[in-house]
Amino acid sequence: MKKQQLERLPLRARRSNRDTRIQSLDIIIVAILIVYAFLIIFPFWNAFVISISTEHAYLHSNLLLWPTEIDFSAYQRVFNNNQLWSGFGITMILLIGGTIYQLFFTVITGYALSRKNWTGKNLVMNMILVTMFFGGGMVPYYCLIRDLGMMNTIWVMIIPGAIDTFNMLLMRNYFASLPAEMEESAKIDGANDIIIFVKVFLPLSLPMLATVGLFFAVGNWNSWYNAMLFIPDNKKIWPLQMVLKTMITKVSSTIETGTVTEDFSEGLTMASIFFTIVPMMCFYPFLQRFFVKGIVVGAIKG
Amino acid sequence: MELTTIARRNNPFRKLGGKIFRSKYLIMMIVPAVIFYALFCYVPMYGILMAFQDYIPRFGVFGSPWIGFDNFATVFKEPRFWLAFRNTIFISSIKIVISFLGAVTIALLLNELRMRRAKKTIQTIVTFPHFLSWVVVSGFVFSLFSYNGAINSLAEIMGGSRSNFLGDKYFFFGMIFASDIWKEAGWGSIIYLATMAGIPQDQYEAADIDGATRLQKIWHITLPGIKPVAILLLIMSVGGVLSAGFDQVLNLGNNDLIREDVNIIDTYIYYHAITKSGNEGIGTAIGLFKSVISFTLVIIVDRIAKACGERGII
């Protein structure tokens, strides 16, 4: 879509019908959406109820829709669990260090590629675009990480994430959409490219930086894939989600036979799940517009 | 004197040097990216040579013996690989269809919902699961469908009996589709909703004057309005038809009863070539097979879309 069209796109849909009478169609729509929202919420609720129930209540009540025997000991065990806290610490390192690192390299690359024809720009651009459609696959990548000596180190969760092509192109398109005259006039005033980038373009792109930064932050918060592949032996530097994954796998292998372990691991797992998602649940309603903006701008332009 | 100055100014090498010098800061900014893509994208592409070798880590890609297409022959003779291949095609083609239908339906419902407040709240609720990892979602699924879980309890109340859902490979596929809809449909609807918001209002006004009903307006204005975006997104999803969702299948299929039956290509590579050493060549061969097919599909679909007058992606 052209730029002008994009700028006319409001993020919220306008009312498409001026008729304000309530029709039966409205009631059907509301009913379907309420059922759908309920289906989305139910797993959260179910997990929450299990996490604050006793094992006795979990095993003997029929449908645990409402907590019958409230017991917060699962949360107590979560807060006393060293592995979870260590995972939390590692995840915080990824969240802060990793996000800044990714944002820095993604944004400077996007900026450089958004500027007018400098020598070699097209070559670099094509080199990057090829990687979007073709790659070496999982095994050569694994061998590369192994040969670089990054196995079982924390660096494997940070360094290879430096540039995310999709977000980089998002930034590039955003910088390219800002008026080029600003660059020209700053050049006439004697500014070089780095000063123009830092003093002119960065301050203008804060909303986009927030969007891209938040996507990186969520990715780092949810990071487990790299840990599973490349840190199989070093539990000390497992991030939170990887710790959670091993807990869930352990529980699922006991619950499929109907036996429950002594310390009610189902309750502990559900409490740990809440430990990992509560921060996101708190922030999401306020940050939603940034995420929505990212996906809309990215999909329409890219 | 003058002539030499002109000659110097027209010297192509000097010109190039001057151009590079003028953009030296931009080039400095791009250097990390060049190193990054060369190292983490192009070195693995070079590693594809392993597909044609009996790879021995000690000797590396330079020293391992060449064996031609033997790795491919080994893989193609393996029934479990073809099972993974069929699972992949099955899972991703159904997922493409249902996630498309789900996202469009939700977008239409939200677009027709006339209460602003409720719309915003529902949108917040239904887009949130997108930001959960598959680890968390698998925790939810296991707790809902476990032997003592809510679904089995519900079945018992309705007069049925408890059953072991998680060990059933046919149930597994249903679980994959349901959890995919649960997690991604709300998020997928955003892009369609934004497109619907961009449809010019005068079309709806003209339809009002002609006495069109709401359903007619949806059918004749809203749906054609989102068609280009829908086609674009479908084209992009076809390229990923051989990636049926590694994270999802790995987390949801991770128990001994079904693990080998529900493999997709990516989890097959993971279980057979990464957690077991000595199969690097075979794993690379499968990866190459997958990349080549995906790449070909993208090209074909793109050509078809362009031939039909839609905007392509390449």
PDB file of all heavy atoms in Angstrom, chain A residues 7 13 30 43 58 72-73 101 116 148 178 205 209 214 223 258 268 270:
ATOM      1  N   GLU A   7      -1.195   6.221   6.070  1.00  0.00           N
ATOM      2  CA  GLU A   7      -1.405   7.215   7.102  1.00  0.00           C
ATOM      3  C   GLU A   7      -2.879   7.477   7.364  1.00  0.00           C
ATOM      4  O   GLU A   7      -3.243   7.954   8.420  1.00  0.00           O
ATOM      5  CB  GLU A   7      -0.687   8.511   6.717  1.00  0.00           C
ATOM      6  CG  GLU A   7       0.772   8.437   7.137  1.00  0.00           C
ATOM      7  CD  GLU A   7       1.650   9.392   6.375  1.00  0.00           C
ATOM      8  OE1 GLU A   7       1.129  10.145   5.535  1.00  0.00           O
ATOM      9  OE2 GLU A   7       2.849   9.375   6.615  1.00  0.00           O
ATOM     10  N   ALA A  13     -11.240   0.444  14.185  1.00  0.00           N
ATOM     11  CA  ALA A  13     -12.210   0.454  13.099  1.00  0.00           C
ATOM     12  C   ALA A  13     -13.271   1.505  13.371  1.00  0.00           C
ATOM     13  O   ALA A  13     -13.676   1.712  14.509  1.00  0.00           O
ATOM     14  CB  ALA A  13     -12.858  -0.910  12.985  1.00  0.00           C
ATOM     15  N   VAL A  30     -22.466 -10.391  19.953  1.00  0.00           N
ATOM     16  CA  VAL A  30     -22.029 -10.261  21.341  1.00  0.00           C
ATOM     17  C   VAL A  30     -21.945 -11.631  22.001  1.00  0.00           C
ATOM     18  O   VAL A  30     -20.962 -11.943  22.680  1.00  0.00           O
ATOM     19  CB  VAL A  30     -22.991  -9.327  22.119  1.00  0.00           C
ATOM     20  CG1 VAL A  30     -22.691  -9.384  23.602  1.00  0.00           C
ATOM     21  CG2 VAL A  30     -22.862  -7.914  21.614  1.00  0.00           C
ATOM     22  N   PRO A  43      -8.591 -21.403  30.466  1.00  0.00           N
ATOM     23  CA  PRO A  43      -7.351 -22.087  30.864  1.00  0.00           C
ATOM     24  C   PRO A  43      -6.565 -21.324  31.930  1.00  0.00           C
ATOM     25  O   PRO A  43      -6.003 -21.943  32.830  1.00  0.00           O
ATOM     26  CB  PRO A  43      -6.554 -22.178  29.562  1.00  0.00           C
ATOM     27  CG  PRO A  43      -7.577 -22.134  28.506  1.00  0.00           C
ATOM     28  CD  PRO A  43      -8.640 -21.217  29.015  1.00  0.00           C
ATOM     29  N   TYR A  58      -8.043 -30.968  44.446  1.00  0.00           N
ATOM     30  CA  TYR A  58      -7.782 -31.209  43.026  1.00  0.00           C
ATOM     31  C   TYR A  58      -8.234 -32.604  42.628  1.00  0.00           C
ATOM     32  O   TYR A  58      -8.844 -32.802  41.585  1.00  0.00           O
ATOM     33  CB  TYR A  58      -6.288 -31.030  42.764  1.00  0.00           C
ATOM     34  CG  TYR A  58      -5.859 -31.391  41.368  1.00  0.00           C
ATOM     35  CD1 TYR A  58      -6.326 -30.680  40.270  1.00  0.00           C
ATOM     36  CD2 TYR A  58      -4.977 -32.452  41.150  1.00  0.00           C
ATOM     37  CE1 TYR A  58      -5.928 -31.009  38.993  1.00  0.00           C
ATOM     38  CE2 TYR A  58      -4.576 -32.779  39.872  1.00  0.00           C
ATOM     39  CZ  TYR A  58      -5.055 -32.055  38.798  1.00  0.00           C
ATOM     40  OH  TYR A  58      -4.655 -32.387  37.541  1.00  0.00           O
ATOM     41  N   PHE A  72      -2.208 -21.562  49.744  1.00  0.00           N
ATOM     42  CA  PHE A  72      -1.194 -20.860  48.964  1.00  0.00           C
ATOM     43  C   PHE A  72       0.185 -21.498  49.062  1.00  0.00           C
ATOM     44  O   PHE A  72       1.176 -20.891  48.698  1.00  0.00           O
ATOM     45  CB  PHE A  72      -1.120 -19.388  49.395  1.00  0.00           C
ATOM     46  CG  PHE A  72      -2.306 -18.597  48.949  1.00  0.00           C
ATOM     47  CD1 PHE A  72      -3.346 -18.324  49.813  1.00  0.00           C
ATOM     48  CD2 PHE A  72      -2.382 -18.141  47.642  1.00  0.00           C
ATOM     49  CE1 PHE A  72      -4.453 -17.608  49.392  1.00  0.00           C
ATOM     50  CE2 PHE A  72      -3.482 -17.421  47.206  1.00  0.00           C
ATOM     51  CZ  PHE A  72      -4.519 -17.158  48.083  1.00  0.00           C
ATOM     52  N   SER A  73       0.237 -22.723  49.559  1.00  0.00           N
ATOM     53  CA  SER A  73       1.552 -23.321  49.786  1.00  0.00           C
ATOM     54  C   SER A  73       2.313 -23.528  48.485  1.00  0.00           C
ATOM     55  O   SER A  73       3.545 -23.513  48.471  1.00  0.00           O
ATOM     56  CB  SER A  73       1.413 -24.642  50.527  1.00  0.00           C
ATOM     57  OG  SER A  73       0.788 -25.580  49.690  1.00  0.00           O
ATOM     58  N   TYR A 101      20.962  -4.866  23.482  1.00  0.00           N
ATOM     59  CA  TYR A 101      21.900  -5.333  22.462  1.00  0.00           C
ATOM     60  C   TYR A 101      21.205  -5.503  21.107  1.00  0.00           C
ATOM     61  O   TYR A 101      21.657  -4.992  20.079  1.00  0.00           O
ATOM     62  CB  TYR A 101      22.496  -6.650  22.959  1.00  0.00           C
ATOM     63  CG  TYR A 101      23.273  -7.470  21.969  1.00  0.00           C
ATOM     64  CD1 TYR A 101      24.610  -7.200  21.712  1.00  0.00           C
ATOM     65  CD2 TYR A 101      22.680  -8.561  21.318  1.00  0.00           C
ATOM     66  CE1 TYR A 101      25.335  -7.974  20.820  1.00  0.00           C
ATOM     67  CE2 TYR A 101      23.396  -9.338  20.436  1.00  0.00           C
ATOM     68  CZ  TYR A 101      24.720  -9.043  20.188  1.00  0.00           C
ATOM     69  OH  TYR A 101      25.427  -9.810  19.315  1.00  0.00           O
ATOM     70  N   LYS A 116      20.023   7.109   1.487  1.00  0.00           N
ATOM     71  CA  LYS A 116      20.146   7.029   0.032  1.00  0.00           C
ATOM     72  C   LYS A 116      21.459   6.385  -0.388  1.00  0.00           C
ATOM     73  O   LYS A 116      22.411   6.349   0.381  1.00  0.00           O
ATOM     74  CB  LYS A 116      20.057   8.445  -0.550  1.00  0.00           C
ATOM     75  CG  LYS A 116      18.648   8.967  -0.565  1.00  0.00           C
ATOM     76  CD  LYS A 116      18.411   9.879  -1.765  1.00  0.00           C
ATOM     77  CE  LYS A 116      17.085  10.580  -1.648  1.00  0.00           C
ATOM     78  NZ  LYS A 116      17.066  11.649  -0.623  1.00  0.00           N
ATOM     79  N   LEU A 148      31.916 -22.491  17.486  1.00  0.00           N
ATOM     80  CA  LEU A 148      32.280 -21.184  18.034  1.00  0.00           C
ATOM     81  C   LEU A 148      32.542 -21.263  19.534  1.00  0.00           C
ATOM     82  O   LEU A 148      32.926 -20.281  20.158  1.00  0.00           O
ATOM     83  CB  LEU A 148      31.157 -20.168  17.785  1.00  0.00           C
ATOM     84  CG  LEU A 148      30.971 -19.677  16.347  1.00  0.00           C
ATOM     85  CD1 LEU A 148      29.735 -18.791  16.259  1.00  0.00           C
ATOM     86  CD2 LEU A 148      32.187 -18.901  15.890  1.00  0.00           C
ATOM     87  N   LEU A 178      10.437   9.065   7.029  1.00  0.00           N
ATOM     88  CA  LEU A 178      10.628  10.415   7.570  1.00  0.00           C
ATOM     89  C   LEU A 178      11.198  11.306   6.468  1.00  0.00           C
ATOM     90  O   LEU A 178      11.959  10.837   5.622  1.00  0.00           O
ATOM     91  CB  LEU A 178      11.582  10.369   8.769  1.00  0.00           C
ATOM     92  CG  LEU A 178      11.090   9.561   9.973  1.00  0.00           C
ATOM     93  CD1 LEU A 178      12.186   9.427  11.013  1.00  0.00           C
ATOM     94  CD2 LEU A 178       9.857  10.199  10.594  1.00  0.00           C
ATOM     95  N   SER A 205      11.751   8.759  16.240  1.00  0.00           N
ATOM     96  CA  SER A 205      11.241   7.399  16.033  1.00  0.00           C
ATOM     97  C   SER A 205      11.033   6.674  17.352  1.00  0.00           C
ATOM     98  O   SER A 205      11.037   5.448  17.379  1.00  0.00           O
ATOM     99  CB  SER A 205      12.176   6.621  15.117  1.00  0.00           C
ATOM    100  OG  SER A 205      13.497   6.824  15.509  1.00  0.00           O
ATOM    101  N   LEU A 209      10.647   2.690  18.103  1.00  0.00           N
ATOM    102  CA  LEU A 209      11.661   2.030  18.933  1.00  0.00           C
ATOM    103  C   LEU A 209      10.994   1.265  20.066  1.00  0.00           C
ATOM    104  O   LEU A 209      11.387   0.144  20.395  1.00  0.00           O
ATOM    105  CB  LEU A 209      12.603   3.072  19.548  1.00  0.00           C
ATOM    106  CG  LEU A 209      13.721   3.609  18.683  1.00  0.00           C
ATOM    107  CD1 LEU A 209      14.517   4.634  19.468  1.00  0.00           C
ATOM    108  CD2 LEU A 209      14.625   2.479  18.257  1.00  0.00           C
ATOM    109  N   LEU A 214       9.767  -3.665  22.510  1.00  0.00           N
ATOM    110  CA  LEU A 214       8.843  -4.518  23.256  1.00  0.00           C
ATOM    111  C   LEU A 214       8.764  -5.909  22.649  1.00  0.00           C
ATOM    112  O   LEU A 214       8.686  -6.905  23.369  1.00  0.00           O
ATOM    113  CB  LEU A 214       7.450  -3.885  23.281  1.00  0.00           C
ATOM    114  CG  LEU A 214       7.309  -2.730  24.274  1.00  0.00           C
ATOM    115  CD1 LEU A 214       6.001  -2.004  24.073  1.00  0.00           C
ATOM    116  CD2 LEU A 214       7.392  -3.255  25.696  1.00  0.00           C
ATOM    117  N   SER A 223      12.177 -16.733  26.152  1.00  0.00           N
ATOM    118  CA  SER A 223      13.250 -17.510  25.519  1.00  0.00           C
ATOM    119  C   SER A 223      13.482 -18.865  26.195  1.00  0.00           C
ATOM    120  O   SER A 223      13.701 -18.941  27.395  1.00  0.00           O
ATOM    121  CB  SER A 223      14.527 -16.659  25.573  1.00  0.00           C
ATOM    122  OG  SER A 223      15.650 -17.469  25.486  1.00  0.00           O
ATOM    123  N   GLY A 258      -2.294 -40.960  35.626  1.00  0.00           N
ATOM    124  CA  GLY A 258      -3.263 -40.742  36.681  1.00  0.00           C
ATOM    125  C   GLY A 258      -2.665 -40.739  38.066  1.00  0.00           C
ATOM    126  O   GLY A 258      -3.337 -40.455  39.038  1.00  0.00           O
ATOM    127  N   LEU A 268       2.293 -26.963  41.966  1.00  0.00           N
ATOM    128  CA  LEU A 268       3.538 -26.192  41.891  1.00  0.00           C
ATOM    129  C   LEU A 268       3.762 -25.684  40.468  1.00  0.00           C
ATOM    130  O   LEU A 268       4.137 -24.525  40.255  1.00  0.00           O
ATOM    131  CB  LEU A 268       4.716 -27.075  42.331  1.00  0.00           C
ATOM    132  CG  LEU A 268       6.096 -26.447  42.213  1.00  0.00           C
ATOM    133  CD1 LEU A 268       6.221 -25.265  43.152  1.00  0.00           C
ATOM    134  CD2 LEU A 268       7.183 -27.466  42.502  1.00  0.00           C
ATOM    135  N   MET A 270       1.528 -25.095  38.110  1.00  0.00           N
ATOM    136  CA  MET A 270       0.590 -24.025  37.767  1.00  0.00           C
ATOM    137  C   MET A 270       0.991 -22.717  38.455  1.00  0.00           C
ATOM    138  O   MET A 270       0.899 -21.633  37.872  1.00  0.00           O
ATOM    139  CB  MET A 270      -0.836 -24.418  38.181  1.00  0.00           C
ATOM    140  CG  MET A 270      -1.402 -25.547  37.361  1.00  0.00           C
ATOM    141  SD  MET A 270      -1.351 -25.191  35.610  1.00  0.00           S
ATOM    142  CE  MET A 270      -0.629 -26.689  34.984  1.00  0.00           C
TER     143      MET A 270
END
